[in-house]
Amino acid sequence: MSIQSSPGATTTVAGALARSENVILGFASFVIGILFWYAVTRAGLVKLPGPFQVVSRSADMMANGQIFTDILSSLRRVFIGFVLGAGAAVPVGFLMGWYKRARGLIEPWIQFLRVIPPLAVIPLAIVTLGIDEAPKIFVIFLASFLSSVIATYQGVISVDRTYINAARVLGASDGVIFARVVVPASIPFVLVGFRIGLGSAWATLVAAELIAAQSGLGFRMQQAQLYYDLPTIFVSLITIGILGLVMDRIVVWTESRLTQWQERV
């Protein structure tokens, strides 16, 4: 008697193999990058600290607890600014995409603000909000909001009109169409906006911590710059990259769970 595997089981196995391959390729890429970094610094082609110097400085910063204080400070600022920015971007993006009049009123302001770099708002933030945590979080909030709102808006206007028309033919009201058709179809765009917003939040962090910060990865880099302390700068850079990558993977994992209906390459 022959045993035939079901299509679902085949798909599961193929997905597991693809994930394993991605992990292996990612690890190989990491190893190659470290070896290239070591070879370049060892040969003296660039005046940068090598991997062993950076690891040694990282161990020192862990031993005195400095790195953990900086991580917690930066994570708190990025998390609060990003959550507030993305949380505000979703309803505004849906409003712009669903109601044409709201789009006409709001979109010019969004486009106007988008061409102003969030870093240019720092002087205004200091004058109006002081030098405590509020201006730092506000700058990160603005960067996250402007990155996420456009993606959400684009998701709404990109919904296939066939789905909306079919729902109307079946007697669905506008509220039902919005909740059961538009929102689910827009989720991939919303989550892509979150990923872009996260990147913008981390990119803005260093400049935000110029505002009278006493701790944080960006603050530590600025202090290290004054003393030409390249290993400390590298530790902070790598830490920001790792934290940003972890948060991005969380969003990707969430997207894969919320959009299982979507065909993927």
Side-chain angles (χ1 to χ4, degrees):
M1 178 176 15
S2 62
I3 300 177
Q4 296 181 347
S5 60
S6 64
T10 303
T11 303
T12 302
V13 172
L17 290 174
R19 287 191 293 271
S20 299
E21 182 181 5
N22 288 337
V23 171
I24 293 172
L25 289 174
F27 180 76
S29 175
F30 172 77
V31 172
I32 292 171
I34 295 297
L35 291 176
F36 177 77
W37 177 17
Y38 174 78
V40 167
T41 54
R42 181 72 175 177
L45 299 178
V46 291
K47 294 182 179 180
L48 295 175
F52 294 110
Q53 290 177 274
V54 173
V55 170
S56 175
R57 180 56 52 84
S58 176
D60 293 340
M61 295 174 70
M62 289 182 183
N64 59 28
Q66 186 181 80
I67 188 68
F68 300 113
T69 301
D70 291 336
I71 288 174
L72 289 176
S73 298
S74 294
L75 268 179
R76 183 179 67 252
R77 291 167 185 146
V78 168
F79 181 77
I80 295 175
F82 169 73
V83 169
L84 292 176
V90 171
V92 172
F94 277 126
L95 189 65
M96 289 170 55
W98 189 243
Y99 295 106
K100 290 184 178 180
R101 290 181 179 176
R103 184 186 314 170
L105 290 171
I106 300 173
E107 187 178 15
W109 288 104
I110 297 295
Q111 298 301 335
F112 170 76
L113 292 172
R114 283 184 66 218
V115 300
I116 301 176
L119 306 186
V121 183
I122 289 179
L124 177 63
I126 294 174
V127 171
T128 57
L129 299 174
I131 59 174
D132 201 6
E133 290 296 296
K136 304 177 185 63
I137 293 173
F138 173 74
V139 173
I140 296 171
F141 156 83
L142 188 61
S144 303
F145 172 79
L146 294 174
S147 300
S148 302
V149 69
I150 295 298
T152 303
Y153 160 70
Q154 191 64 40
V156 176
I157 64 174
S158 298
V159 175
D160 194 336
R161 299 297 302 181
T162 303
Y163 299 148
I164 296 176
N165 293 334
R168 284 207 171 100
V169 169
L170 294 173
S173 64
D174 285 349
V176 172
I177 293 173
F178 180 78
R180 302 293 295 274
V181 178
V182 175
V183 171
S186 303
I187 285 178
F189 290 86
V190 173
L191 292 175
V192 167
F194 284 0
R195 295 182 68 185
I196 298 172
L198 265 177
S200 299
W202 281 106
T204 311
L205 172 71
V206 176
E209 290 183 341
L210 280 169
I211 308 173
Q214 298 300 316
S215 62
L217 296 168
F219 164 78
R220 194 62 55 196
M221 290 170 60
Q222 295 160 32
Q223 292 295 306
Q225 175 192 358
L226 299 176
Y227 302 100
Y228 206 69
D229 186 358
L230 291 178
T232 298
I233 293 175
F234 264 71
V235 171
S236 299
L237 281 173
I238 293 171
T239 304
I240 288 175
I242 292 173
L243 293 174
L245 179 62
V246 170
M247 294 178 74
D248 180 78
R249 293 301 94 184
I250 293 173
V251 175
V252 170
W253 179 85
T254 303
E255 179 186 7
S256 68
R257 293 299 180 271
L258 294 178
T259 59
Q260 293 181 353
W261 50 269
Q262 190 179 34
E263 292 184 3
R264 299 177 184 275
V265 178

